[in-house]
Structure formats: C-alpha cells, structure tokens
Amino acid sequence: MIDDQRQLTFAPWVKRSPGQRADGATVVFPHAGGAAAAYRSFATALAANGTDAFVLQYPQRADRLSHPAPDTVEQLAADLFAAGDWTRLGPLRLFGHCMGAIIAFEFARVAEAHGAVVGALWVSASQAPHTVVTSPRLPTAAAEVVANMVDLGGTDPRLLDDEEFIDLLVRAVRADYLAFNRYACGPDRTISADIHLLGGRDDHQVSQEMLRGWEIHTDQAVTLTLFDGGHFYLNDHIDTVAELINAT
C-alpha cells in the first residue's frame, strides 16, 4: 500500500526506482541537457540497497519535450518540487551532477521552506552557486553547444552523427543553459543540510578548489571525495557512489 501511494503522489515524469527501505528517498538531478534515462543505472544502484530513488526529468526533452522551458533555475526547482508531496517520504538525499547540483541546491531551499527534511546534498562535479554569476556565459548557439558537449565528454560519439539526436540535444541543453546564465546567488544563501562534494581527479572543467567553494553554502558538515576520471567520472563509479550515498 505504501508503494502504491508513493507512486501515485508524483507526476509521471518523476522516474522512481523502488528501494528496499522506506525511511527517506534519494532524488537525482541530471546535468544540463541530460535526460532521466541517463541516470537509470545509477537510480537502480541506489535503490538496490537503499531507499526509493527518484530521477527528475526537466522540460524540453524525452516525455517532457512539449513542456515549456523555465526562465530561471529557481523556477525549475520550484516546479520540480511541485511535482509531488516530497514531505511524505522522510529525509531526502539530493544528488545533482554539474548544473544538476545547482538545481538540487535550489530544490533544497524550496523543500526546507515547505517543511520537507533534507538530510544531505550530494554535489557532483559542480561549481558553487555563488560563483555562477561571475563565470563565463554558457553557449546557446547550436554549433557551440555541440562543441561544449564534446569537450565535457559523457556523450556517445556515435550519436554525434545523428542529426535528429543533435537537434534534440541542442534543444535541451539550450533550455538549461539559458536558465543557468540568468542564475545569481549570493554567498549568504545557505541550506540546513550536510553537503558532500564529489568529483573526478582529471575533471578539467571543475577543480577541487571549485568544489570546495560549496563550503560556505551550509553551516553543517562538508566532505570531499575524489574519484579517478573526468567530468563524467560517475559513469565508471556508479556502484561505489551509490554505496557511499546509502551509507550516510
């Protein structure tokens, strides 16, 4: 009965992997341009020995292709929170990769304001919120978006020859980048949850120093764990990261 109630509480584009325990949930926020399907294996690993795992689908991709893009990261976070009654799940663990970590941070602020308990924010390969406003603007022209995706890695090179895939990728990335380029967060904006920082040792986009910038956004515990690999190190360490999250 609990299982059915949880499933019915959320919008259909909130992708749930049923867990082994009912004492909370892990919510996964994909990277810019990323679809929920890209995190299916990660969600399965999280749920295998932990609580329910939910992967959020942003607008302008997959089954939300016709949904309008949000103007701001804050609006996106609020819309994602409105997709279900997250307060019923118990303590939330939030995991966000790259831009997904910024969205997860704003989701945490919305959740806390509505009485939901956020136990921890897991930040993966992301600069700190307060540094975004002074960072170079992300590209939105099609050719530059594709070049940026190639530089980051994580996209199957064979798909880059598929014009239909490229069109869909650019559409999703552009929607996310436009919202990200409008984002401004002061160093005094904080959450009341632990922040755990994860990154790849060879990530040429997000350094260890950039990860540590998150320390000012909470007065709770902060940890840092590095893995072999680049910006998408997670693809090679899915089970290890899932175990780390479930162990806290």
Side-chain angles (χ1 to χ4, degrees), residues 191-221:
I191 58 174
S192 301
D194 295 343
I195 294 181
H196 302 289
L197 308 171
L198 307 172
R201 292 188 178 89
D202 300 318
D203 187 347
H204 66 284
Q205 292 283 336
V206 180
S207 66
Q208 180 176 336
E209 181 181 1
M210 292 170 70
L211 279 170
R212 288 196 176 279
W214 281 85
E215 293 175 348
I216 67 172
H217 290 291
T218 184
D219 56 4
Q220 303 301 311

Side-chain angles (χ1 to χ4, degrees), residues 86-106:
W86 300 98
T87 61
R88 296 177 56 188
L89 298 181
L92 301 175
R93 300 183 184 93
L94 309 181
F95 174 95
H97 185 78
C98 197
M99 177 183 169
I102 302 293
I103 301 169
F105 174 74
E106 292 299 332

Side-chain angles (χ1 to χ4, degrees), residues 15-175:
K15 312 302 182 181
R16 173 177 172 251
S17 295
Q20 303 301 308
R21 307 195 314 265
D23 55 335
T26 303
V27 188
V28 179
F29 298 76
H31 58 279
Y39 291 81
R40 184 180 296 121
S41 296
F42 184 47
T44 299
L46 286 165
N49 295 297
T51 60
D52 286 0
F54 296 84
V55 184
L56 301 181
Q57 189 86 278
Y58 308 150
Q60 295 288 288
R61 72 215 68 198
D63 51 349
R64 299 195 69 191
L65 193 61
S66 63
H67 293 193
D71 290 331
T72 65
V73 171
E74 292 90 340
Q75 179 188 341
L76 175 56
D79 290 347
L80 295 173
F81 185 80
D85 188 359
W86 300 98
T87 61
R88 296 177 56 188
L89 298 181
L92 301 175
R93 300 183 184 93
L94 309 181
F95 174 95
H97 185 78
C98 197
M99 177 183 169
I102 302 293
I103 301 169
F105 174 74
E106 292 299 332
F107 182 97
R109 296 182 66 242
V110 175
E112 290 179 348
H114 286 81
V117 177
V118 179
L121 170 61
W122 290 82
V123 170
S124 176
S126 173
Q127 67 185 107
H130 72 277
T131 67
V132 173
V133 70
T134 57
S135 298
R137 300 299 83 185
L138 295 173
T140 55
E144 294 176 346
V145 167
V146 173
N148 184 247
M149 291 295 100
V150 171
D151 181 60
L152 288 173
T155 302
D156 188 336
R158 293 170 297 181
L159 294 175
L160 298 176
D161 294 325
D162 185 330
E163 291 185 8
E164 183 177 358
F165 171 80
I166 290 296
D167 288 344
L168 292 173
L169 176 65
V170 169
R171 178 174 177 171
V173 173
R174 180 184 287 125

